[in-house]
Amino acid sequence: MAGHYERLGSLRNEEKPPLLPSNVAIHHTDGRQGRRPTFLKSLQKFTPQLLSILWLAPAIALLTLNITNHQIGASAWCPFGRCDIDPWTEDPLGLAQKYDKQDHNVIGSLQFVSKALELWFGFIAANLIYNITMILSAQGKGLPLGLLGTFLEFKDIVFLAAPFQWSSPNEFRHKRTTAPSTRSRISWFLAFAAFLCLIANLMGPATAVLAIPTLNWVNTQNHTDQYFKALGVSKPPTTKINLNPSFGISTCDHSQVAARNYSCTYDQYGASLDDWLDSVVSSDHQAAYNIPQSLHGISWQGEVSFMFNISNATEKSHFTRGWAPNRQALQNLTSDVYDSISTQNSTSQKTKALKSVLTREGPILGAMTNFYTPQNNRTGSIGESGDGYVRCYDGLRASDLDITKIDTHNLTRCVRMGEGLNSTNANATFYIEGDEETSYVEVCAYFSDQGLYIQSEDIDRAGCFGDGPHCEWEDLVRMKNNDPILNKFSTNLLVIEMYADGHRAIFEFVTCLTFATYTLDTSLSSNPLYLVQTYGLPNNDNPSSIIVHPDWLLAAWSVDEFGTIPFSRSVSSTVVRGLRDIGNNESMALVDMELFVIQSYFQSLSMVTYDFYNGSETRQHDESARSLSHCRQIYVWTFGLHSRTARLGIVVVSIGVVVCLLQVTLSLIRPPHQRSFTELLAAAMSYQHKGELSETNDGEEKHTGKIPYTMGPRDDGSFKFELARHWNDGFVETSERKNFRQIWSSAASVLMKAVPFQTRVKAGNA
């Protein structure tokens, strides 16, 4: 046994035997033998820096394309902008299929590109960690053995998550020569490696998100040069209703408007109203009889068409509500169409988009409707001066579209009229020529600031009718029915009364103002009629009502005050037949008349003009004025920060750029001695440990990996791999104690063999 330990000791003290025979020359990397060409050596030295700089080019390009929201065109593959969409092409389907195939090929190719960028960045990050490893390991404190290969395994989350990696600094505390700065240095190194692990693993998805374009709506022209000032609905129409005076169309002058001779609007709106209402009634018949081709009435303003929107009754409102797009806003949208075509022709932007949409903010008027046919009507004066009067309708028969859930047979509808009560209570009257069976139809339109429902048995007690004394409106108010549904028609009513040969029909409208977004799809393939859509309408069931002057109805029907519409117009024949059918209790008469009058009233609302501030006038007059902005939106393939993933990709790639710059800077400030992994492994294998590996619990990784080593070049150009100095000093003391224990153990073993077994037993018994 003694000879065995002597042999072990002699092996430790001997020089390490050579790895190769003495007659084989070793080629050193310092160039003393087998010198490499200078160009190859320089290229190898600067290859990491060159690759880092080259990676910046695609990275910065991706950042620039997405931050600037670069637009490609109608296809993801659009070299030199040659991916035009021609709406008049002979084969639009074939062109769409061609672009779709190109889009799939480009998107698939860009996924491979993003993977290549991820691998490329992994090499750069590995070089950065290698440089930091070489710098830290060259210091006297060295790095733990388990961290020397971090540049090879840093992308492996399992490697960084190993508990012994993060606990290794704490194991040095029993060494007096180990300072807290050593543990902090290793902790920061591990944290930086973990951070690069996260960035390197996210770089692939991040570059894919930034490199692959998406289809998005993009605003190309956004203008806010107008601000809403006031709506002219509470005043009679003016010459501003001449919205489209070109092409030889006669218009209204100031004298005609002042005299309330609105027949001057016929060339602009009269004929279109006739055709429009005919299509509405025909469409309603088709829907009623389940005919599949049911079309809504369409009207035109300039180069665009539009429809009136009618919303169904809700549980809260109980009344239908319609919305009339404003013709002045539509005419402005027509101007936007001309401007857009001019801009497209001058900038070649017309066909670079899959779709093009023009949007404009503008006012829109809505109305709730109420329709009934009374059995009789009564009119009485209000107040001592008789400057106002009340008009009541008995025996109501409600339209099946409105207040059918309420029993109105025992109710009397009363509205107050007369400008003596309120200056807004204006009225207008005109006539419709009849046929052989009907002499004429009288149409009275008047605005009433207040209206109410009263129980029929209570109306006589008010004393407003007959030869009794005058009555007060407040007396009727105290008798009103307080049903919340009926009270929605209590203020600001525009009432239209039609009467012919004992048949009477009453139409009431409560009007409100809001703002909407007018949208026009300019693609002829998807919107050949240039139909304008309105969005952003409110869902409020109790909008604020506004005042409507009755003369707007005269302008819509193109008739003078107390004038007569000839029977030759289709609107005349429709009204005459409708009232006659109501008297004969025809099943569709109520529905047809209601739709007819609703559409004609919405025609009048669409003609209402508005005033606006220019952009420079707004701050001088009303800073809170509503902006009437307009813009052009195109649907194109584009880069941009349109999603959270894109913004995350920007952050990750930006960090990648910083990492590349740090790698280049670190290499220039303190260029490391580049060694291949084979050279590092050879240096480690040539190192003869001093017993430190034998003391780590049979070489377990969690203990072996904590031993610090230093690496770096020697003066002769060779590469060293040594135990860190502070561990080497501590290990000398530990090694002497271990040798003493080994010698004592060997002496005890020899002594036990020399003494006979029986003697030891007797000694033990004694």
Side-chain angles (χ1 to χ4, degrees):
M1 180 63 67
H4 173 71
Y5 284 103
E6 291 174 359
R7 183 167 56 86
L8 289 176
S10 63
L11 284 177
R12 288 194 182 97
N13 297 327
E14 290 177 357
E15 296 265 344
K16 182 178 178 180
L19 297 176
L20 296 176
S22 58
N23 60 347
V24 178
I26 299 178
H27 297 273
H28 297 277
T29 57
D30 59 354
R32 288 174 294 178
Q33 295 186 22
R35 180 180 298 275
R36 295 183 181 180
T38 305
F39 173 75
L40 294 179
K41 289 182 62 179
S42 301
L43 181 63
Q44 180 184 8
K45 179 179 180 180
F46 293 103
T47 294
Q49 293 85 342
L50 181 61
L51 290 177
S52 299
I53 295 174
L54 291 178
W55 190 88
L56 292 175
I60 294 176
L62 290 178
L63 293 176
T64 304
L65 290 174
N66 285 271
I67 293 175
T68 59
N69 295 321
H70 177 72
Q71 301 170 20
I72 302 175
S75 174
W77 174 249
C78 193
F80 306 105
R82 298 176 181 176
C83 54
D84 298 342
I85 294 293
D86 185 3
W88 305 107
T89 183
E90 296 180 357
D91 187 15
L93 181 60
L95 184 62
Q97 290 177 346
K98 171 187 174 182
Y99 287 157
D100 184 68
K101 184 177 180 180
Q102 292 179 354
D103 296 340
H104 281 80
N105 291 335
V106 170
I107 292 175
S109 301
L110 291 176
Q111 292 179 357
F112 288 100
V113 172
S114 62
K115 185 62 179 179
L117 291 175
E118 177 189 6
L119 297 176
W120 192 350
F121 178 78
F123 171 79
I124 297 171
N127 269 274
L128 176 60
I129 295 183
Y130 170 80
N131 291 339
I132 297 176
T133 300
M134 296 302 298
I135 293 174
L136 295 180
S137 62
Q139 299 174 1
K141 299 177 182 179
L143 277 180
L145 181 62
L147 299 181
L148 295 180
T150 303
F151 67 96
L152 297 174
E153 300 181 276
F154 77 98
K155 292 185 67 175
D156 186 2
I157 300 178
V158 176
F159 168 75
L160 293 175
F164 79 89
Q165 299 281 23
W166 296 90
S167 62
S168 59
N170 296 329
E171 300 295 332
F172 300 154
R173 292 178 180 174
H174 68 281
K175 305 293 182 182
R176 294 182 179 179
T177 57
T178 301
S181 59
T182 302
R183 297 190 294 271
S184 176
R185 183 169 58 99
I186 297 176
S187 298
W188 279 109
F189 177 76
L190 281 171
F192 183 73
F195 176 72
L196 281 187
C197 170
L198 177 64
I199 298 301
N201 284 286
L202 290 178
M203 189 58 66
T207 53
V209 170
L210 298 183
I212 298 176
T214 56
L215 280 170
N216 291 288
W217 287 102
V218 179
N219 292 342
T220 59
Q221 302 169 8
N222 197 345
H223 306 281
T224 307
D225 50 6
Q226 293 181 358
Y227 293 84
F228 182 78
K229 182 178 180 180
L231 194 69
V233 67
S234 61
K235 304 291 181 61
T238 64
T239 55
K240 291 182 179 180
I241 60 176
N242 303 322
L243 297 176
N244 193 16
S246 58
F247 305 107
I249 297 177
S250 62
T251 58
C252 299
D253 56 32
H254 291 283
S255 61
Q256 291 172 318
V257 171
R260 305 176 72 183
N261 295 331
Y262 298 107
S263 57
C264 57
T265 64
Y266 180 79
D267 284 352
Q268 295 188 65
Y269 305 113
S272 63
L273 177 63
D274 295 346
D275 296 337
W276 190 16
L277 297 178
D278 286 342
S279 66
V280 170
V281 175
S282 175
S283 176
D284 182 66
H285 285 176
Q286 291 176 349
Y289 294 110
N290 296 321
I291 298 177
Q293 298 292 334
S294 179
L295 300 176
H296 296 287
I298 296 177
S299 184
W300 289 83
Q301 180 61 47
E303 298 296 330
V304 301
S305 63
F306 67 99
M307 295 188 303
F308 295 143
N309 302 324
I310 298 179
S311 58
N312 295 325
T314 64
E315 294 182 358
K316 294 183 178 180
S317 66
H318 298 279
F319 290 93
T320 59
R321 180 182 298 159
W323 299 96
N326 186 272
R327 288 184 179 271
Q328 184 175 347
L330 294 170
Q331 187 64 35
N332 291 335
L333 196 59
T334 297
S335 301
D336 295 341
V337 172
Y338 293 143
D339 294 340
S340 178
I341 293 175
S342 176
T343 302
Q344 292 166 4
N345 292 336
S346 61
T347 61
S348 302
Q349 294 182 356
K350 180 178 181 180
T351 55
K352 286 187 177 182
L354 291 173
K355 292 182 180 180
S356 177
V357 173
L358 298 177
T359 62
R360 176 175 281 272
E361 298 292 325
I364 186 171
L365 291 173
M368 292 190 300
T369 63
N370 188 20
F371 170 48
Y372 50 89
T373 55
Q375 295 178 358
N376 56 72
N377 69 295
R378 292 180 285 178
T379 303
S381 61
I382 300 177
E384 296 181 359
S385 60
D387 52 0
Y389 58 95
V390 60
R391 193 171 182 85
C392 296
Y393 304 96
D394 300 319
L396 305 182
R397 183 167 60 128
S399 166
D400 59 346
L401 296 179
D402 296 322
I403 54 175
T404 54
K405 296 182 179 181
I406 301 176
D407 183 12
T408 59
H409 293 284
N410 295 324
L411 291 177
T412 296
R413 176 60 164 168
C414 293
V415 293
R416 73 175 191 173
M417 306 177 187
E419 296 184 4
L421 296 176
N422 194 319
S423 59
T424 62
N425 292 346
N427 60 80
T429 303
F430 63 93
Y431 303 95
I432 298 175
E433 184 181 0
D435 56 6
E436 296 81 2
E437 301 181 22
T438 303
S439 58
Y440 66 92
V441 176
E442 181 182 7
V443 180
C444 297
Y446 48 86
F447 182 81
S448 174
D449 61 338
Q450 294 185 34
L452 45 82
Y453 285 90
I454 303 175
Q455 295 296 326
S456 300
E457 58 271 17
D458 296 336
I459 191 65
D460 294 330
R461 294 190 292 106
C464 295
F465 309 104
D467 299 330
H470 68 273
C471 68
E472 298 293 340
W473 177 254
E474 288 73 14
D475 297 335
L476 297 177
V477 172
R478 285 191 290 269
M479 301 178 186
K480 72 173 184 177
N481 187 296
N482 290 318
D483 188 282
I485 298 177
L486 298 178
N487 286 337
K488 291 181 181 295
F489 281 81
S490 59
T491 57
N492 294 339
L493 306 172
L494 195 287
V495 183
I496 300 175
E497 180 178 345
M498 293 184 175
Y499 175 80
D501 297 339
H503 307 305
R504 195 181 305 273
I506 310 298
F507 308 88
E508 297 178 350
F509 299 92
V510 176
T511 310
C512 61
L513 168 66
T514 187
F515 292 85
T517 301
Y518 293 77
T519 303
L520 173 65
D521 180 5
T522 60
S523 174
L524 293 175
S525 59
S526 59
N527 188 21
L529 295 178
Y530 262 35
L531 182 66
V532 175
Q533 304 287 339
T534 52
Y535 298 97
L537 296 176
N539 295 323
N540 183 15
D541 291 319
N542 296 296
S544 299
S545 58
I546 61 175
I547 300 171
V548 179
H549 199 282
D551 280 8
W552 286 104
L553 195 65
L554 297 177
W557 287 65
S558 301
V559 62
D560 302 335
E561 167 72 355
F562 299 112
T564 301
I565 300 177
F567 186 77
S568 58
R569 288 184 58 179
S570 60
V571 292
S572 302
S573 58
T574 302
V575 172
V576 171
R577 286 195 303 268
L579 282 177
R580 189 162 52 237
D581 291 341
I582 288 176
N584 297 330
N585 295 323
E586 294 288 342
S587 59
M588 293 295 296
L590 289 173
V591 177
D592 288 346
M593 283 296 294
E594 181 178 25
L595 290 177
F596 178 80
V597 176
I598 287 175
Q599 294 291 333
S600 64
Y601 180 69
F602 286 167
Q603 168 81 329
S604 65
L605 294 182
S606 70
M607 297 170 59
V608 174
T609 57
Y610 60 89
D611 297 326
F612 56 87
Y613 298 109
N614 292 323
S616 58
E617 299 176 342
T618 305
R619 293 188 177 182
Q620 300 176 4
H621 298 85
D622 186 4
E623 294 185 357
S624 62
R626 175 69 177 261
S627 64
L628 304 179
S629 60
H630 57 98
C631 68
R632 176 173 177 259
Q633 295 178 326
I634 57 176
Y635 193 54
V636 294
W637 288 95
T638 179
F639 298 96
L641 307 179
H642 306 294
S643 62
R644 293 187 180 92
T645 54
R647 290 189 284 272
L648 177 61
I650 288 290
V651 173
V652 173
V653 175
S654 299
I655 295 175
V657 171
V658 174
V659 169
C660 290
L661 296 176
L662 181 61
Q663 152 68 6
V664 175
T665 304
L666 191 62
S667 301
L668 294 177
I669 295 177
R670 189 172 183 177
H673 298 273
Q674 293 289 342
R675 303 285 180 172
S676 66
F677 177 70
T678 303
E679 292 175 305
L680 298 180
L681 185 61
M685 294 180 64
S686 64
Y687 168 73
Q688 181 181 6
H689 74 87
K690 301 177 181 179
E692 70 274 10
L693 300 179
S694 303
E695 286 194 342
T696 54
N697 296 342
D698 299 327
E700 292 185 12
E701 182 184 10
K702 64 180 180 179
H703 299 290
T704 305
K706 301 171 184 178
I707 302 175
Y709 289 89
T710 60
M711 297 187 301
R714 294 189 177 95
D715 296 335
D716 59 357
S718 61
F719 195 72
K720 69 176 181 179
F721 184 92
E722 299 175 346
L723 185 65
R725 287 194 300 269
H726 67 285
W727 266 69
N728 188 25
D729 297 340
F731 180 75
V732 170
E733 299 176 1
T734 305
S735 178
E736 292 176 354
R737 291 195 299 269
K738 181 177 180 181
N739 291 336
F740 177 77
R741 288 195 303 270
Q742 289 178 346
I743 295 173
W744 178 259
S745 177
S746 299
S749 177
V750 172
L751 181 62
M752 291 178 66
K753 289 182 179 180
V755 178
F757 177 75
Q758 293 81 0
T759 305
R760 282 180 287 160
V761 171
K762 290 180 180 180
N765 292 334

